[in-house]
Amino acid sequence: MEIPVWQFVRIMVACERRPNSRLLAANADSWAELDEALTGLAQSDFDAYSNLMMHTDVHIEAPNKIELRRVLDSLLRDLKLAKRRTRAGSTERTDLEFEISELQALLDKLGGRVSDEERDGGKPRGGSGGPRPPKSGRGPGRGRTPDKGRG
């Protein structure tokens, strides 16, 4: 899949903070090459740096689309929090609004946020991940101690 370089950079930086990222591993060579080029351009030719970031597409390997969607979801949360800390009408806020809009469009194109069913492969969740639906045949008062508030 082809995406703008700036999106690829955001995704790869986020993946660097994730242990055992398959997405990072699949794109390690192109990320290292692009990071080196961007670092050099940022120091020597800001116009070329900007052009590469904003007007060039790069191929991203996504062997696990769920991981990519999770990374995008996490990025969007971080950017939205950052946006709240900016002044209305500021350049920083405008830039963040652009990034949020474009990354949200990419996430939507990939299928949106990862649902519980996708994440768990359709298996019931264990642990304290939130309320669970009652098992069939069990409802209030069947096989449980009644709640103290019930009458």
Side-chain angles (χ1 to χ4, degrees), residues 14-40:
C15 286
E16 287 177 336
R17 290 179 269 164
R18 296 173 71 92
N20 305 316
S21 171
R22 289 187 276 173
L23 194 54
L24 181 61
N27 293 281
D29 291 340
S30 55
W31 172 227
E33 183 180 322
L34 185 59
D35 189 35
E36 185 178 327
L38 287 167
T39 301

PDB file of all heavy atoms in Angstrom, residues 14-40:
ATOM      1  N   ALA A  14       5.871   5.402  15.915  1.00  0.00           N
ATOM      2  CA  ALA A  14       4.963   4.769  16.879  1.00  0.00           C
ATOM      3  C   ALA A  14       5.312   3.291  17.051  1.00  0.00           C
ATOM      4  O   ALA A  14       5.274   2.767  18.170  1.00  0.00           O
ATOM      5  CB  ALA A  14       3.514   4.927  16.427  1.00  0.00           C
ATOM      6  N   CYS A  15       5.674   2.621  15.981  1.00  0.00           N
ATOM      7  CA  CYS A  15       6.033   1.201  16.053  1.00  0.00           C
ATOM      8  C   CYS A  15       7.314   0.984  16.848  1.00  0.00           C
ATOM      9  O   CYS A  15       7.475  -0.056  17.493  1.00  0.00           O
ATOM     10  CB  CYS A  15       6.194   0.611  14.654  1.00  0.00           C
ATOM     11  SG  CYS A  15       4.643   0.334  13.800  1.00  0.00           S
ATOM     12  N   GLU A  16       8.219   1.952  16.819  1.00  0.00           N
ATOM     13  CA  GLU A  16       9.465   1.823  17.575  1.00  0.00           C
ATOM     14  C   GLU A  16       9.195   1.745  19.081  1.00  0.00           C
ATOM     15  O   GLU A  16      10.004   1.227  19.823  1.00  0.00           O
ATOM     16  CB  GLU A  16      10.403   2.998  17.273  1.00  0.00           C
ATOM     17  CG  GLU A  16      11.024   2.900  15.893  1.00  0.00           C
ATOM     18  CD  GLU A  16      11.889   4.087  15.544  1.00  0.00           C
ATOM     19  OE1 GLU A  16      11.697   5.199  16.105  1.00  0.00           O
ATOM     20  OE2 GLU A  16      12.770   3.921  14.679  1.00  0.00           O
ATOM     21  N   ARG A  17       8.041   2.249  19.503  1.00  0.00           N
ATOM     22  CA  ARG A  17       7.677   2.199  20.920  1.00  0.00           C
ATOM     23  C   ARG A  17       6.904   0.932  21.270  1.00  0.00           C
ATOM     24  O   ARG A  17       6.534   0.730  22.422  1.00  0.00           O
ATOM     25  CB  ARG A  17       6.835   3.428  21.286  1.00  0.00           C
ATOM     26  CG  ARG A  17       7.652   4.711  21.263  1.00  0.00           C
ATOM     27  CD  ARG A  17       6.800   5.893  21.605  1.00  0.00           C
ATOM     28  NE  ARG A  17       6.270   6.410  20.344  1.00  0.00           N
ATOM     29  CZ  ARG A  17       5.269   7.241  20.229  1.00  0.00           C
ATOM     30  NH1 ARG A  17       4.644   7.673  21.282  1.00  0.00           N
ATOM     31  NH2 ARG A  17       4.885   7.670  19.057  1.00  0.00           N
ATOM     32  N   ARG A  18       6.630   0.100  20.289  1.00  0.00           N
ATOM     33  CA  ARG A  18       5.864  -1.139  20.516  1.00  0.00           C
ATOM     34  C   ARG A  18       6.823  -2.328  20.495  1.00  0.00           C
ATOM     35  O   ARG A  18       7.510  -2.549  19.508  1.00  0.00           O
ATOM     36  CB  ARG A  18       4.821  -1.330  19.416  1.00  0.00           C
ATOM     37  CG  ARG A  18       3.763  -0.246  19.381  1.00  0.00           C
ATOM     38  CD  ARG A  18       2.861  -0.388  18.165  1.00  0.00           C
ATOM     39  NE  ARG A  18       1.984  -1.514  18.249  1.00  0.00           N
ATOM     40  CZ  ARG A  18       0.745  -1.471  18.749  1.00  0.00           C
ATOM     41  NH1 ARG A  18       0.273  -0.354  19.210  1.00  0.00           N
ATOM     42  NH2 ARG A  18       0.002  -2.546  18.773  1.00  0.00           N
ATOM     43  N   PRO A  19       6.849  -3.105  21.572  1.00  0.00           N
ATOM     44  CA  PRO A  19       7.737  -4.272  21.573  1.00  0.00           C
ATOM     45  C   PRO A  19       7.289  -5.300  20.531  1.00  0.00           C
ATOM     46  O   PRO A  19       6.106  -5.520  20.336  1.00  0.00           O
ATOM     47  CB  PRO A  19       7.597  -4.836  22.990  1.00  0.00           C
ATOM     48  CG  PRO A  19       6.324  -4.263  23.528  1.00  0.00           C
ATOM     49  CD  PRO A  19       6.061  -2.988  22.786  1.00  0.00           C
ATOM     50  N   ASN A  20       8.246  -5.869  19.859  1.00  0.00           N
ATOM     51  CA  ASN A  20       7.990  -6.939  18.881  1.00  0.00           C
ATOM     52  C   ASN A  20       7.045  -6.535  17.761  1.00  0.00           C
ATOM     53  O   ASN A  20       6.221  -7.340  17.323  1.00  0.00           O
ATOM     54  CB  ASN A  20       7.451  -8.192  19.587  1.00  0.00           C
ATOM     55  CG  ASN A  20       8.366  -8.653  20.691  1.00  0.00           C
ATOM     56  OD1 ASN A  20       9.581  -8.694  20.515  1.00  0.00           O
ATOM     57  ND2 ASN A  20       7.796  -8.969  21.839  1.00  0.00           N
ATOM     58  N   SER A  21       7.156  -5.323  17.270  1.00  0.00           N
ATOM     59  CA  SER A  21       6.284  -4.862  16.193  1.00  0.00           C
ATOM     60  C   SER A  21       6.625  -5.568  14.883  1.00  0.00           C
ATOM     61  O   SER A  21       7.718  -5.409  14.342  1.00  0.00           O
ATOM     62  CB  SER A  21       6.424  -3.345  16.018  1.00  0.00           C
ATOM     63  OG  SER A  21       5.752  -2.927  14.856  1.00  0.00           O
ATOM     64  N   ARG A  22       5.669  -6.334  14.383  1.00  0.00           N
ATOM     65  CA  ARG A  22       5.854  -6.990  13.084  1.00  0.00           C
ATOM     66  C   ARG A  22       5.838  -5.962  11.958  1.00  0.00           C
ATOM     67  O   ARG A  22       6.486  -6.141  10.937  1.00  0.00           O
ATOM     68  CB  ARG A  22       4.782  -8.053  12.860  1.00  0.00           C
ATOM     69  CG  ARG A  22       4.982  -9.261  13.761  1.00  0.00           C
ATOM     70  CD  ARG A  22       4.032 -10.370  13.425  1.00  0.00           C
ATOM     71  NE  ARG A  22       2.765 -10.132  14.114  1.00  0.00           N
ATOM     72  CZ  ARG A  22       1.678 -10.843  13.919  1.00  0.00           C
ATOM     73  NH1 ARG A  22       1.667 -11.819  13.057  1.00  0.00           N
ATOM     74  NH2 ARG A  22       0.584 -10.562  14.597  1.00  0.00           N
ATOM     75  N   LEU A  23       5.092  -4.895  12.170  1.00  0.00           N
ATOM     76  CA  LEU A  23       5.018  -3.816  11.181  1.00  0.00           C
ATOM     77  C   LEU A  23       6.380  -3.145  11.027  1.00  0.00           C
ATOM     78  O   LEU A  23       6.840  -2.900   9.910  1.00  0.00           O
ATOM     79  CB  LEU A  23       3.955  -2.815  11.623  1.00  0.00           C
ATOM     80  CG  LEU A  23       3.459  -1.783  10.646  1.00  0.00           C
ATOM     81  CD1 LEU A  23       2.954  -2.405   9.362  1.00  0.00           C
ATOM     82  CD2 LEU A  23       2.343  -0.958  11.283  1.00  0.00           C
ATOM     83  N   LEU A  24       7.039  -2.878  12.139  1.00  0.00           N
ATOM     84  CA  LEU A  24       8.378  -2.279  12.106  1.00  0.00           C
ATOM     85  C   LEU A  24       9.369  -3.239  11.454  1.00  0.00           C
ATOM     86  O   LEU A  24      10.164  -2.834  10.596  1.00  0.00           O
ATOM     87  CB  LEU A  24       8.832  -1.909  13.522  1.00  0.00           C
ATOM     88  CG  LEU A  24      10.199  -1.245  13.643  1.00  0.00           C
ATOM     89  CD1 LEU A  24      10.239   0.073  12.876  1.00  0.00           C
ATOM     90  CD2 LEU A  24      10.541  -1.014  15.107  1.00  0.00           C
ATOM     91  N   ALA A  25       9.306  -4.497  11.824  1.00  0.00           N
ATOM     92  CA  ALA A  25      10.221  -5.492  11.258  1.00  0.00           C
ATOM     93  C   ALA A  25      10.048  -5.610   9.743  1.00  0.00           C
ATOM     94  O   ALA A  25      11.035  -5.689   9.003  1.00  0.00           O
ATOM     95  CB  ALA A  25      10.004  -6.848  11.922  1.00  0.00           C
ATOM     96  N   ALA A  26       8.805  -5.593   9.278  1.00  0.00           N
ATOM     97  CA  ALA A  26       8.527  -5.740   7.846  1.00  0.00           C
ATOM     98  C   ALA A  26       9.009  -4.535   7.035  1.00  0.00           C
ATOM     99  O   ALA A  26       9.247  -4.649   5.835  1.00  0.00           O
ATOM    100  CB  ALA A  26       7.032  -5.950   7.618  1.00  0.00           C
ATOM    101  N   ASN A  27       9.153  -3.385   7.698  1.00  0.00           N
ATOM    102  CA  ASN A  27       9.535  -2.157   6.997  1.00  0.00           C
ATOM    103  C   ASN A  27      10.889  -1.615   7.442  1.00  0.00           C
ATOM    104  O   ASN A  27      11.228  -0.471   7.150  1.00  0.00           O
ATOM    105  CB  ASN A  27       8.457  -1.087   7.229  1.00  0.00           C
ATOM    106  CG  ASN A  27       7.154  -1.453   6.558  1.00  0.00           C
ATOM    107  OD1 ASN A  27       6.996  -1.293   5.361  1.00  0.00           O
ATOM    108  ND2 ASN A  27       6.220  -1.974   7.339  1.00  0.00           N
ATOM    109  N   ALA A  28      11.668  -2.447   8.152  1.00  0.00           N
ATOM    110  CA  ALA A  28      12.922  -1.990   8.761  1.00  0.00           C
ATOM    111  C   ALA A  28      13.896  -1.396   7.742  1.00  0.00           C
ATOM    112  O   ALA A  28      14.477  -0.335   7.984  1.00  0.00           O
ATOM    113  CB  ALA A  28      13.582  -3.127   9.533  1.00  0.00           C
ATOM    114  N   ASP A  29      14.070  -2.056   6.615  1.00  0.00           N
ATOM    115  CA  ASP A  29      15.041  -1.575   5.626  1.00  0.00           C
ATOM    116  C   ASP A  29      14.623  -0.235   5.031  1.00  0.00           C
ATOM    117  O   ASP A  29      15.420   0.710   4.983  1.00  0.00           O
ATOM    118  CB  ASP A  29      15.247  -2.602   4.509  1.00  0.00           C
ATOM    119  CG  ASP A  29      15.962  -3.859   5.001  1.00  0.00           C
ATOM    120  OD1 ASP A  29      16.625  -3.809   6.065  1.00  0.00           O
ATOM    121  OD2 ASP A  29      15.841  -4.897   4.328  1.00  0.00           O
ATOM    122  N   SER A  30      13.378  -0.145   4.586  1.00  0.00           N
ATOM    123  CA  SER A  30      12.930   1.114   3.981  1.00  0.00           C
ATOM    124  C   SER A  30      12.866   2.228   5.020  1.00  0.00           C
ATOM    125  O   SER A  30      13.154   3.388   4.724  1.00  0.00           O
ATOM    126  CB  SER A  30      11.586   0.949   3.266  1.00  0.00           C
ATOM    127  OG  SER A  30      10.613   0.424   4.130  1.00  0.00           O
ATOM    128  N   TRP A  31      12.523   1.895   6.278  1.00  0.00           N
ATOM    129  CA  TRP A  31      12.482   2.889   7.346  1.00  0.00           C
ATOM    130  C   TRP A  31      13.887   3.430   7.632  1.00  0.00           C
ATOM    131  O   TRP A  31      14.088   4.636   7.753  1.00  0.00           O
ATOM    132  CB  TRP A  31      11.847   2.301   8.602  1.00  0.00           C
ATOM    133  CG  TRP A  31      11.906   3.161   9.829  1.00  0.00           C
ATOM    134  CD1 TRP A  31      12.279   2.764  11.067  1.00  0.00           C
ATOM    135  CD2 TRP A  31      11.562   4.547   9.958  1.00  0.00           C
ATOM    136  NE1 TRP A  31      12.196   3.805  11.950  1.00  0.00           N
ATOM    137  CE2 TRP A  31      11.770   4.921  11.301  1.00  0.00           C
ATOM    138  CE3 TRP A  31      11.119   5.516   9.065  1.00  0.00           C
ATOM    139  CZ2 TRP A  31      11.547   6.210  11.782  1.00  0.00           C
ATOM    140  CZ3 TRP A  31      10.887   6.804   9.537  1.00  0.00           C
ATOM    141  CH2 TRP A  31      11.103   7.136  10.880  1.00  0.00           C
ATOM    142  N   ALA A  32      14.877   2.542   7.726  1.00  0.00           N
ATOM    143  CA  ALA A  32      16.255   2.976   7.996  1.00  0.00           C
ATOM    144  C   ALA A  32      16.757   3.885   6.871  1.00  0.00           C
ATOM    145  O   ALA A  32      17.361   4.938   7.122  1.00  0.00           O
ATOM    146  CB  ALA A  32      17.164   1.763   8.168  1.00  0.00           C
ATOM    147  N   GLU A  33      16.492   3.489   5.635  1.00  0.00           N
ATOM    148  CA  GLU A  33      16.924   4.275   4.474  1.00  0.00           C
ATOM    149  C   GLU A  33      16.234   5.646   4.445  1.00  0.00           C
ATOM    150  O   GLU A  33      16.885   6.679   4.250  1.00  0.00           O
ATOM    151  CB  GLU A  33      16.599   3.488   3.195  1.00  0.00           C
ATOM    152  CG  GLU A  33      17.051   4.141   1.919  1.00  0.00           C
ATOM    153  CD  GLU A  33      16.681   3.302   0.701  1.00  0.00           C
ATOM    154  OE1 GLU A  33      16.767   2.053   0.779  1.00  0.00           O
ATOM    155  OE2 GLU A  33      16.300   3.907  -0.321  1.00  0.00           O
ATOM    156  N   LEU A  34      14.948   5.659   4.670  1.00  0.00           N
ATOM    157  CA  LEU A  34      14.186   6.908   4.651  1.00  0.00           C
ATOM    158  C   LEU A  34      14.579   7.812   5.818  1.00  0.00           C
ATOM    159  O   LEU A  34      14.747   9.025   5.655  1.00  0.00           O
ATOM    160  CB  LEU A  34      12.691   6.608   4.690  1.00  0.00           C
ATOM    161  CG  LEU A  34      11.749   7.790   4.552  1.00  0.00           C
ATOM    162  CD1 LEU A  34      11.971   8.541   3.238  1.00  0.00           C
ATOM    163  CD2 LEU A  34      10.313   7.325   4.638  1.00  0.00           C
ATOM    164  N   ASP A  35      14.765   7.235   6.988  1.00  0.00           N
ATOM    165  CA  ASP A  35      15.154   8.008   8.163  1.00  0.00           C
ATOM    166  C   ASP A  35      16.507   8.687   7.937  1.00  0.00           C
ATOM    167  O   ASP A  35      16.692   9.863   8.270  1.00  0.00           O
ATOM    168  CB  ASP A  35      15.203   7.099   9.398  1.00  0.00           C
ATOM    169  CG  ASP A  35      15.387   7.861  10.693  1.00  0.00           C
ATOM    170  OD1 ASP A  35      14.847   8.986  10.822  1.00  0.00           O
ATOM    171  OD2 ASP A  35      16.060   7.339  11.590  1.00  0.00           O
ATOM    172  N   GLU A  36      17.432   7.959   7.355  1.00  0.00           N
ATOM    173  CA  GLU A  36      18.755   8.527   7.052  1.00  0.00           C
ATOM    174  C   GLU A  36      18.638   9.675   6.053  1.00  0.00           C
ATOM    175  O   GLU A  36      19.241  10.737   6.239  1.00  0.00           O
ATOM    176  CB  GLU A  36      19.668   7.429   6.505  1.00  0.00           C
ATOM    177  CG  GLU A  36      21.097   7.880   6.272  1.00  0.00           C
ATOM    178  CD  GLU A  36      21.985   6.748   5.781  1.00  0.00           C
ATOM    179  OE1 GLU A  36      21.764   5.590   6.175  1.00  0.00           O
ATOM    180  OE2 GLU A  36      22.908   7.031   4.998  1.00  0.00           O
ATOM    181  N   ALA A  37      17.849   9.482   5.009  1.00  0.00           N
ATOM    182  CA  ALA A  37      17.667  10.537   4.003  1.00  0.00           C
ATOM    183  C   ALA A  37      17.015  11.768   4.619  1.00  0.00           C
ATOM    184  O   ALA A  37      17.455  12.907   4.368  1.00  0.00           O
ATOM    185  CB  ALA A  37      16.829  10.011   2.840  1.00  0.00           C
ATOM    186  N   LEU A  38      15.995  11.572   5.427  1.00  0.00           N
ATOM    187  CA  LEU A  38      15.299  12.703   6.049  1.00  0.00           C
ATOM    188  C   LEU A  38      16.202  13.452   7.021  1.00  0.00           C
ATOM    189  O   LEU A  38      16.180  14.684   7.068  1.00  0.00           O
ATOM    190  CB  LEU A  38      14.030  12.229   6.762  1.00  0.00           C
ATOM    191  CG  LEU A  38      12.872  11.834   5.852  1.00  0.00           C
ATOM    192  CD1 LEU A  38      11.797  11.093   6.640  1.00  0.00           C
ATOM    193  CD2 LEU A  38      12.283  13.048   5.151  1.00  0.00           C
ATOM    194  N   THR A  39      16.980  12.707   7.785  1.00  0.00           N
ATOM    195  CA  THR A  39      17.900  13.340   8.732  1.00  0.00           C
ATOM    196  C   THR A  39      18.901  14.223   8.005  1.00  0.00           C
ATOM    197  O   THR A  39      19.149  15.366   8.407  1.00  0.00           O
ATOM    198  CB  THR A  39      18.631  12.267   9.579  1.00  0.00           C
ATOM    199  OG1 THR A  39      17.647  11.499  10.282  1.00  0.00           O
ATOM    200  CG2 THR A  39      19.582  12.893  10.578  1.00  0.00           C
ATOM    201  N   GLY A  40      19.447  13.712   6.916  1.00  0.00           N
ATOM    202  CA  GLY A  40      20.399  14.497   6.123  1.00  0.00           C
ATOM    203  C   GLY A  40      19.753  15.725   5.515  1.00  0.00           C
ATOM    204  O   GLY A  40      20.314  16.835   5.576  1.00  0.00           O
TER     205      GLY A  40
END
